[in-house]
Amino acid sequence: GNSVTQMEGPVTLSEEAFLTINCTYTATGYPSLFWYVQYPGEGLQLLLKATKADDKGSNKGFEATYRKETTSFHLEKGSVQVSDSAVYFCALISQAGTALIFGKGTTLSVSS
Amino acid sequence: KAGVTQTPRYLIKTRGQQVTLSCSPISGHRSVSWYQQTPGQGLQFLFEYFSETQRNKGNFPGRFSGRQFSNSRSEMNVSTLELGDSALYLCASSNTGVGGTEAFFGQGTRLTVV
């Protein structure tokens, strides 16, 4: 079945450091891929998405590229801020699917 | 426009009781999905409704059920509560609920079973 694997956390960085959170997936066909962010005590917010191979999703300085050849969707940001501290979830949904499949989440902690 | 609203935000129930959680989707959205979030299992899909019909169901026991009303509002019910049902329950709404359509999440209902 479909699945998402993302790097274990926590990830601890200093402000202005470069961020990479790895995400790989297993799926048949051409799923859509997402990164969601969850701040303490909150629900999930969509950070970015990509719906086909080689698409690059971007938002608030975060980027991720849909790589079908490596079945990956790694999240990157060039310079993190303290306010980026949160839990990040990689997720997929199949083309005709109605259920998001999530990775386990990666906790990011940024210190000043 | 208003976001997804889940009520109540917090609940404490006793083992064996039942509970009903409510979700009001974004106006115009016809798809509502429910997810359970726990530290051990992460985020797991419960079920999805579209125009009052359940289109998809995750791998949860029959104690978990849901419904959707004609105004797209949805409720989920958990009967005979167990300690392991303690979790954050998240509701998401979207236009079609299919494929790459963006899903908008509510803040969740934190259920504690004692």
Side-chain angles (χ1 to χ4, degrees):
Chain A
N2 296 344
S3 66
V4 175
T5 302
Q6 62 182 104
M7 62 188 286
E8 298 284 332
V11 174
T12 304
L13 296 173
S14 298
E15 207 166 23
E16 299 183 5
F18 184 85
L19 168 71
T20 300
I21 300 178
N22 291 335
C23 171
T24 57
Y25 68 90
T26 300
T28 54
Y30 299 87
S32 292
L33 303 174
F34 306 84
W35 277 101
Y36 281 87
V37 58
Q38 185 174 36
Y39 298 100
E42 301 290 320
L44 301 176
Q45 297 177 27
L46 179 65
L47 184 58
L48 53 85
K49 73 175 188 180
T51 58
K52 60 183 187 294
D54 299 324
D55 265 2
K56 177 186 282 189
S58 61
N59 185 26
K60 300 180 182 179
F62 291 90
E63 293 182 339
T65 301
Y66 189 143
R67 302 284 188 201
K68 189 151 179 68
E69 63 275 14
T70 54
T71 61
S72 64
F73 192 56
H74 305 321
L75 182 68
E76 295 182 336
K77 186 176 186 184
S79 177
V80 295
Q81 305 300 312
V82 172
S83 57
D84 293 327
S85 298
V87 182
Y88 292 80
F89 293 92
C90 185
L92 71 80
I93 191 168
S94 60
Q95 280 177 292
T98 57
L100 283 161
I101 296 170
F102 289 91
K104 293 290 189 184
T106 302
T107 300
L108 170 65
S109 177
V110 181
S111 58
S112 58
Chain B
K1 56 186 175 183
V4 178
T5 303
Q6 291 188 245
T7 56
R9 288 292 310 276
Y10 302 93
L11 267 178
I12 300 176
K13 290 288 187 178
T14 304
R15 269 183 305 175
Q17 287 186 314
Q18 73 164 19
V19 67
T20 299
L21 313 182
S22 179
C23 173
S24 294
I26 291 171
S27 178
H29 284 187
R30 295 166 66 188
S31 168
V32 174
S33 300
W34 290 89
Y35 294 83
Q36 182 195 64
Q37 185 177 21
T38 59
Q41 298 300 315
L43 281 152
Q44 294 185 288
F45 171 76
L46 281 156
F47 27 65
E48 187 260 353
Y49 288 87
F50 184 85
S51 293
E52 302 180 67
T53 299
Q54 186 182 89
R55 288 197 298 193
N56 197 359
K57 188 178 190 307
N59 189 26
F60 278 83
R63 300 185 297 106
F64 292 81
S65 63
R67 59 177 176 169
Q68 186 180 35
F69 302 95
S70 58
N71 62 358
S72 293
R73 190 178 70 85
S74 177
E75 291 181 346
M76 67 163 281
N77 183 277
V78 188
S79 62
T80 318
L81 284 166
E82 301 177 359
L83 295 179
D85 298 332
S86 295
L88 180 67
Y89 290 88
L90 292 165
C91 161
S93 80
S94 69
N95 282 327
T96 67
V98 176
T101 307
E102 180 174 351
F104 296 83
F105 282 81
Q107 291 186 295
T109 294
R110 172 76 62 185
L111 171 64
T112 302
V113 182
V114 297

Coordinates of all heavy atoms in Angstrom, one line a residue, chain B residues 43-113:
Chain B
L43 N -0.7 10.3 12.6 CA -2.0 10.8 12.0 C -2.6 9.6 11.2 O -2.0 9.1 10.2 CB -1.8 12.0 11.1 CG -1.7 13.3 11.8 CD1 -0.8 14.3 11.0 CD2 -3.1 13.9 12.0
Q44 N -3.8 9.2 11.5 CA -4.4 8.1 10.8 C -5.8 8.5 10.3 O -6.6 9.1 11.1 CB -4.5 6.9 11.7 CG -3.2 6.3 12.1 CD -3.4 5.0 12.9 OE1 -3.8 5.0 14.1 NE2 -3.1 3.9 12.3
F45 N -6.1 8.1 9.1 CA -7.4 8.4 8.5 C -8.5 7.6 9.1 O -8.4 6.4 9.2 CB -7.3 8.2 7.0 CG -8.6 8.3 6.2 CD1 -9.1 9.5 5.9 CD2 -9.2 7.1 5.8 CE1 -10.3 9.6 5.2 CE2 -10.4 7.2 5.1 CZ -10.9 8.4 4.8
L46 N -9.6 8.3 9.5 CA -10.8 7.6 10.0 C -11.8 7.3 8.9 O -12.2 6.2 8.6 CB -11.4 8.4 11.1 CG -10.7 8.3 12.5 CD1 -11.0 9.5 13.3 CD2 -11.1 7.0 13.2
F47 N -12.4 8.4 8.4 CA -13.3 8.3 7.3 C -13.5 9.7 6.6 O -13.1 10.7 7.1 CB -14.7 7.8 7.7 CG -15.1 8.0 9.2 CD1 -15.3 9.3 9.6 CD2 -15.2 7.0 10.1 CE1 -15.6 9.6 11.0 CE2 -15.5 7.2 11.4 CZ -15.7 8.5 11.8
E48 N -14.2 9.6 5.4 CA -14.4 10.8 4.6 C -15.9 10.7 4.1 O -16.4 9.7 3.7 CB -13.5 10.8 3.4 CG -13.5 12.1 2.6 CD -14.3 12.0 1.3 OE1 -14.7 10.9 0.9 OE2 -14.6 13.1 0.7
Y49 N -16.5 11.9 4.2 CA -17.9 12.0 3.7 C -17.9 13.1 2.6 O -17.2 14.1 2.7 CB -18.8 12.4 4.8 CG -19.0 11.3 5.8 CD1 -18.2 11.1 6.9 CD2 -20.1 10.5 5.7 CE1 -18.4 10.1 7.8 CE2 -20.3 9.4 6.5 CZ -19.5 9.2 7.6 OH -19.7 8.2 8.5
F50 N -18.8 12.8 1.6 CA -19.1 13.8 0.6 C -20.6 13.8 0.3 O -21.1 12.7 0.0 CB -18.3 13.4 -0.7 CG -18.4 14.4 -1.8 CD1 -17.6 15.6 -1.8 CD2 -19.4 14.2 -2.8 CE1 -17.8 16.5 -2.9 CE2 -19.5 15.1 -3.8 CZ -18.7 16.3 -3.9
S51 N -21.2 14.9 0.4 CA -22.6 15.0 0.1 C -23.4 13.9 0.9 O -24.2 13.2 0.3 CB -22.9 14.9 -1.4 OG -22.4 16.1 -2.0
E52 N -23.1 13.8 2.1 CA -23.8 13.0 3.1 C -23.5 11.5 2.9 O -24.1 10.7 3.6 CB -25.3 13.2 3.0 CG -25.8 14.6 3.3 CD -27.3 14.8 3.2 OE1 -28.0 14.3 4.0 OE2 -27.7 15.5 2.2
T53 N -22.6 11.1 2.0 CA -22.3 9.7 1.8 C -20.8 9.4 2.2 O -19.9 10.2 1.9 CB -22.4 9.4 0.3 OG1 -23.8 9.6 -0.1 CG2 -22.1 7.9 0.1
Q54 N -20.7 8.3 3.0 CA -19.3 7.9 3.3 C -18.6 7.3 2.1 O -19.1 6.3 1.6 CB -19.3 6.9 4.5 CG -17.9 6.6 5.0 CD -18.0 5.5 6.1 OE1 -17.9 4.3 5.8 NE2 -18.0 6.0 7.3
R55 N -17.6 7.9 1.6 CA -16.9 7.4 0.4 C -15.7 6.6 0.8 O -15.2 5.8 0.0 CB -16.4 8.6 -0.4 CG -17.4 9.4 -1.1 CD -16.8 10.2 -2.2 NE -15.9 11.2 -1.8 CZ -15.5 12.3 -2.5 NH1 -15.9 12.4 -3.8 NH2 -14.7 13.2 -2.0
N56 N -15.1 6.7 2.0 CA -13.9 6.0 2.3 C -13.9 5.9 3.8 O -14.3 6.7 4.6 CB -12.7 6.8 1.8 CG -11.4 6.0 1.7 OD1 -11.4 4.8 2.1 ND2 -10.4 6.6 1.3
K57 N -13.3 4.8 4.2 CA -13.2 4.5 5.7 C -11.8 3.9 5.9 O -11.3 3.0 5.2 CB -14.3 3.5 6.1 CG -14.4 3.3 7.6 CD -15.5 2.3 7.9 CE -15.8 2.3 9.4 NZ -14.7 2.0 10.2
G58 N -11.2 4.3 7.0 CA -9.9 3.8 7.4 C -10.1 2.5 8.2 O -11.2 2.0 8.4
N59 N -9.0 2.0 8.7 CA -8.9 0.8 9.5 C -9.2 1.0 11.0 O -8.2 0.8 11.8 CB -7.6 0.1 9.2 CG -7.6 -1.3 9.7 OD1 -8.6 -2.0 9.9 ND2 -6.4 -1.8 10.1
F60 N -10.4 1.3 11.3 CA -10.7 1.5 12.7 C -11.9 0.6 13.0 O -12.7 0.3 12.1 CB -11.1 3.0 13.0 CG -9.9 3.9 13.2 CD1 -9.2 4.4 12.1 CD2 -9.5 4.2 14.5 CE1 -8.1 5.2 12.3 CE2 -8.4 5.0 14.7 CZ -7.7 5.5 13.6
P61 N -12.0 0.2 14.3 CA -13.2 -0.6 14.7 C -14.5 0.1 14.5 O -14.6 1.3 14.4 CB -12.9 -1.0 16.2 CG -12.0 0.1 16.6 CD -11.2 0.5 15.4
G62 N -15.6 -0.8 14.5 CA -16.9 -0.2 14.3 C -17.4 0.7 15.4 O -18.4 1.4 15.2
R63 N -16.7 0.8 16.5 CA -17.0 1.8 17.5 C -16.9 3.2 17.0 O -17.5 4.1 17.6 CB -16.1 1.6 18.8 CG -16.1 0.3 19.4 CD -15.3 0.2 20.7 NE -13.9 0.5 20.4 CZ -13.3 1.6 20.7 NH1 -13.9 2.6 21.3 NH2 -12.0 1.7 20.5
F64 N -16.1 3.4 16.0 CA -16.0 4.7 15.4 C -16.9 4.9 14.2 O -16.9 4.0 13.3 CB -14.5 4.9 14.9 CG -13.5 5.0 16.0 CD1 -13.0 3.8 16.6 CD2 -13.0 6.2 16.4 CE1 -12.1 3.9 17.6 CE2 -12.1 6.2 17.4 CZ -11.6 5.1 18.0
S65 N -17.8 5.9 14.3 CA -18.7 6.1 13.2 C -18.9 7.6 13.0 O -18.4 8.4 13.8 CB -20.1 5.5 13.6 OG -20.6 6.1 14.7
G66 N -19.5 7.9 11.8 CA -19.7 9.3 11.5 C -20.9 9.5 10.7 O -21.6 8.6 10.3
R67 N -21.2 10.8 10.4 CA -22.2 11.1 9.5 C -22.0 12.5 9.0 O -21.3 13.3 9.7 CB -23.6 10.9 10.2 CG -23.9 11.8 11.4 CD -25.3 11.5 11.9 NE -25.5 12.2 13.1 CZ -26.8 12.4 13.7 NH1 -27.8 11.8 13.1 NH2 -26.9 13.0 14.8
Q68 N -22.7 12.8 8.0 CA -22.7 14.2 7.4 C -24.1 14.7 7.1 O -24.9 13.9 6.6 CB -21.8 14.3 6.2 CG -21.6 15.7 5.7 CD -20.8 15.7 4.4 OE1 -20.8 14.8 3.5 NE2 -20.0 16.8 4.2
F69 N -24.3 15.9 7.4 CA -25.7 16.4 7.3 C -25.8 17.2 5.9 O -24.8 17.4 5.3 CB -26.0 17.4 8.4 CG -25.9 16.7 9.8 CD1 -24.8 16.7 10.5 CD2 -27.0 15.9 10.2 CE1 -24.7 16.1 11.8 CE2 -26.9 15.3 11.5 CZ -25.8 15.3 12.2
S70 N -27.0 17.6 5.6 CA -27.2 18.2 4.3 C -26.5 19.6 4.2 O -26.2 20.0 3.1 CB -28.7 18.4 4.0 OG -29.3 19.2 5.1
N71 N -26.1 20.2 5.3 CA -25.4 21.5 5.2 C -23.9 21.2 5.3 O -23.1 22.1 5.5 CB -25.8 22.4 6.4 CG -25.5 21.8 7.8 OD1 -25.0 20.6 7.8 ND2 -25.8 22.5 8.8
S72 N -23.5 20.0 5.1 CA -22.1 19.5 5.1 C -21.4 19.4 6.5 O -20.3 18.9 6.6 CB -21.2 20.4 4.2 OG -21.6 20.2 2.8
R73 N -22.1 19.9 7.5 CA -21.5 19.7 8.8 C -21.4 18.2 9.1 O -22.2 17.4 8.6 CB -22.4 20.3 9.9 CG -21.8 20.4 11.3 CD -22.7 21.1 12.3 NE -23.9 20.4 12.6 CZ -24.0 19.4 13.5 NH1 -23.0 19.1 14.2 NH2 -25.2 18.8 13.7
S74 N -20.4 17.8 9.9 CA -20.2 16.4 10.1 C -20.0 16.1 11.6 O -19.6 17.0 12.4 CB -19.0 15.9 9.4 OG -18.7 14.5 9.7
E75 N -20.4 14.9 12.0 CA -20.2 14.5 13.4 C -19.5 13.1 13.3 O -19.7 12.3 12.4 CB -21.5 14.3 14.2 CG -22.2 15.6 14.5 CD -23.5 15.4 15.3 OE1 -23.9 14.3 15.3 OE2 -24.0 16.4 15.8
M76 N -18.6 12.9 14.3 CA -18.1 11.5 14.5 C -18.5 11.1 15.9 O -18.5 11.9 16.9 CB -16.6 11.4 14.2 CG -15.7 12.1 15.2 SD -14.0 11.5 15.0 CE -14.1 9.9 15.9
N77 N -18.7 9.8 16.1 CA -19.1 9.2 17.3 C -18.2 8.1 17.7 O -17.8 7.3 16.8 CB -20.6 8.7 17.2 CG -21.1 8.2 18.5 OD1 -20.8 7.1 18.9 ND2 -21.8 9.0 19.3
V78 N -17.8 8.0 18.9 CA -17.0 6.9 19.4 C -17.8 6.3 20.6 O -18.1 7.0 21.6 CB -15.6 7.3 19.9 CG1 -14.8 6.0 20.2 CG2 -14.9 8.1 18.8
S79 N -18.2 5.0 20.4 CA -18.9 4.4 21.5 C -18.0 3.5 22.3 O -16.9 3.2 21.9 CB -20.0 3.5 20.9 OG -19.5 2.5 20.1
T80 N -18.4 3.2 23.5 CA -17.7 2.3 24.4 C -16.2 2.7 24.5 O -15.3 2.0 24.1 CB -17.8 0.8 24.0 OG1 -19.1 0.5 23.6 CG2 -17.4 -0.1 25.2
L81 N -15.9 3.9 24.9 CA -14.6 4.5 24.9 C -13.6 3.6 25.6 O -13.9 3.0 26.7 CB -14.6 5.9 25.5 CG -15.2 7.0 24.6 CD1 -15.5 8.2 25.4 CD2 -14.2 7.3 23.5
E82 N -12.4 3.6 25.0 CA -11.2 2.9 25.7 C -10.1 3.9 25.9 O -10.1 5.0 25.3 CB -10.7 1.8 24.7 CG -11.8 0.7 24.4 CD -11.3 -0.3 23.4 OE1 -10.1 -0.2 22.9 OE2 -12.0 -1.2 23.0
L83 N -9.2 3.5 26.8 CA -8.2 4.5 27.1 C -7.4 4.8 25.9 O -6.9 6.0 25.7 CB -7.2 3.8 28.2 CG -7.8 3.6 29.6 CD1 -6.8 3.0 30.5 CD2 -8.3 4.9 30.2
G84 N -7.2 3.9 25.0 CA -6.4 4.1 23.8 C -7.1 5.0 22.8 O -6.5 5.4 21.8
D85 N -8.3 5.4 23.1 CA -9.0 6.4 22.2 C -8.6 7.8 22.5 O -9.0 8.7 21.8 CB -10.5 6.2 22.3 CG -11.0 4.9 21.9 OD1 -10.4 4.2 21.0 OD2 -12.1 4.5 22.4
S86 N -7.8 8.0 23.5 CA -7.3 9.3 23.9 C -6.5 9.8 22.7 O -5.5 9.2 22.4 CB -6.5 9.3 25.2 OG -7.4 9.0 26.3
A87 N -6.8 11.0 22.2 CA -6.1 11.5 21.0 C -6.6 12.9 20.6 O -7.6 13.3 21.2 CB -6.4 10.5 19.8
L88 N -5.9 13.4 19.7 CA -6.4 14.7 19.0 C -7.2 14.2 17.8 O -6.6 13.5 16.9 CB -5.3 15.6 18.7 CG -5.6 16.9 18.0 CD1 -6.4 17.8 19.0 CD2 -4.4 17.6 17.5
Y89 N -8.4 14.6 17.7 CA -9.2 14.3 16.5 C -9.3 15.5 15.6 O -9.8 16.5 16.0 CB -10.6 13.7 16.9 CG -10.5 12.4 17.5 CD1 -10.3 12.3 18.9 CD2 -10.5 11.2 16.8 CE1 -10.1 11.0 19.5 CE2 -10.4 10.0 17.4 CZ -10.2 9.9 18.7 OH -10.0 8.6 19.3
L90 N -8.9 15.4 14.4 CA -8.8 16.5 13.4 C -9.8 16.3 12.3 O -10.0 15.1 11.8 CB -7.4 16.6 12.8 CG -6.3 17.0 13.8 CD1 -4.9 16.8 13.2 CD2 -6.5 18.5 14.2
C91 N -10.4 17.3 11.9 CA -11.4 17.3 10.8 C -10.8 18.2 9.7 O -10.1 19.2 10.0 CB -12.7 17.9 11.3 SG -13.8 18.4 10.1
A92 N -11.0 17.8 8.5 CA -10.5 18.6 7.3 C -11.6 18.7 6.3 O -12.4 17.8 6.1 CB -9.3 17.9 6.7
S93 N -11.7 19.9 5.7 CA -12.7 20.0 4.6 C -12.1 20.4 3.3 O -11.0 21.0 3.3 CB -13.8 21.0 5.0 OG -13.4 22.4 4.9
S94 N -12.7 20.1 2.2 CA -12.2 20.5 0.9 C -13.4 20.5 -0.1 O -14.5 20.0 0.2 CB -11.1 19.6 0.4 OG -11.6 18.3 0.1
N95 N -13.1 21.1 -1.2 CA -14.2 21.2 -2.2 C -14.6 19.8 -2.7 O -15.8 19.5 -2.6 CB -13.6 21.9 -3.5 CG -13.6 23.4 -3.2 OD1 -14.4 24.0 -2.5 ND2 -12.6 24.1 -3.8
T96 N -13.7 19.0 -3.1 CA -14.0 17.7 -3.7 C -13.5 16.5 -2.9 O -14.0 15.5 -3.0 CB -13.5 17.5 -5.1 OG1 -12.0 17.5 -5.0 CG2 -13.8 18.7 -6.0
G97 N -12.5 16.8 -2.1 CA -11.9 15.7 -1.3 C -11.1 14.7 -2.0 O -10.6 13.8 -1.5
V98 N -10.9 15.0 -3.3 CA -10.2 14.0 -4.2 C -8.9 14.5 -4.6 O -8.7 15.7 -5.0 CB -11.1 13.6 -5.4 CG1 -10.3 12.6 -6.3 CG2 -12.4 13.0 -4.9
G99 N -7.9 13.6 -4.6 CA -6.6 13.9 -5.2 C -5.9 15.1 -4.6 O -5.9 15.3 -3.4
G100 N -5.4 16.0 -5.5 CA -4.6 17.2 -5.1 C -5.4 18.3 -4.5 O -4.8 19.4 -4.2
T101 N -6.7 18.2 -4.4 CA -7.5 19.3 -3.8 C -7.0 19.6 -2.4 O -6.8 18.7 -1.6 CB -8.9 18.9 -3.7 OG1 -9.4 18.5 -5.0 CG2 -9.8 20.1 -3.3
E102 N -6.8 20.9 -2.1 CA -6.3 21.3 -0.8 C -7.3 21.0 0.3 O -8.5 21.3 0.2 CB -5.9 22.7 -0.7 CG -5.4 23.2 0.6 CD -4.9 24.6 0.6 OE1 -4.8 25.2 -0.5 OE2 -4.6 25.2 1.6
A103 N -6.8 20.4 1.4 CA -7.7 20.1 2.6 C -7.3 21.1 3.7 O -6.1 21.3 3.9 CB -7.4 18.7 3.1
F104 N -8.3 21.7 4.3 CA -8.2 22.7 5.3 C -8.5 22.0 6.7 O -9.7 21.5 6.8 CB -9.0 23.9 5.1 CG -8.6 24.7 3.9 CD1 -9.1 24.3 2.6 CD2 -7.8 25.8 3.9 CE1 -8.7 25.0 1.5 CE2 -7.5 26.5 2.8 CZ -7.9 26.1 1.6
F105 N -7.7 22.1 7.6 CA -7.9 21.4 8.9 C -8.4 22.4 10.0 O -8.0 23.6 10.0 CB -6.6 20.8 9.4 CG -6.2 19.5 8.7 CD1 -5.6 19.5 7.5 CD2 -6.5 18.3 9.3 CE1 -5.3 18.3 6.8 CE2 -6.2 17.1 8.6 CZ -5.6 17.1 7.4
G106 N -9.2 21.8 10.8 CA -9.6 22.5 12.0 C -8.5 22.4 13.1 O -7.5 21.7 12.9
Q107 N -8.8 23.0 14.3 CA -7.8 23.0 15.4 C -7.9 21.7 16.1 O -7.0 21.4 16.9 CB -8.1 24.2 16.3 CG -7.7 25.5 15.7 CD -7.8 26.6 16.7 OE1 -8.9 27.0 17.2 NE2 -6.7 27.3 17.0
G108 N -8.9 20.9 15.9 CA -9.0 19.6 16.6 C -9.8 19.6 17.9 O -10.0 20.6 18.5
T109 N -10.2 18.4 18.2 CA -10.8 18.2 19.6 C -9.8 17.2 20.3 O -9.5 16.1 19.8 CB -12.2 17.5 19.4 OG1 -13.1 18.4 18.8 CG2 -12.7 17.1 20.8
R110 N -9.4 17.6 21.5 CA -8.5 16.8 22.3 C -9.4 16.0 23.2 O -10.1 16.5 24.1 CB -7.6 17.7 23.1 CG -6.8 16.9 24.2 CD -5.6 16.2 23.6 NE -4.7 17.0 22.9 CZ -3.6 16.6 22.2 NH1 -3.5 15.3 22.1 NH2 -2.8 17.4 21.6
L111 N -9.4 14.7 23.0 CA -10.2 13.7 23.8 C -9.3 13.0 24.8 O -8.3 12.4 24.4 CB -11.0 12.7 22.9 CG -11.7 11.6 23.6 CD1 -12.8 12.1 24.5 CD2 -12.2 10.6 22.6
T112 N -9.7 13.1 26.0 CA -9.0 12.3 27.0 C -9.9 11.3 27.7 O -11.0 11.7 28.1 CB -8.4 13.2 28.1 OG1 -7.5 14.2 27.5 CG2 -7.6 12.4 29.2
V113 N -9.6 10.0 27.7 CA -10.4 9.0 28.3 C -9.7 8.5 29.5 O -8.5 8.2 29.5 CB -10.6 7.8 27.3 CG1 -11.5 6.8 27.9 CG2 -11.2 8.3 26.0

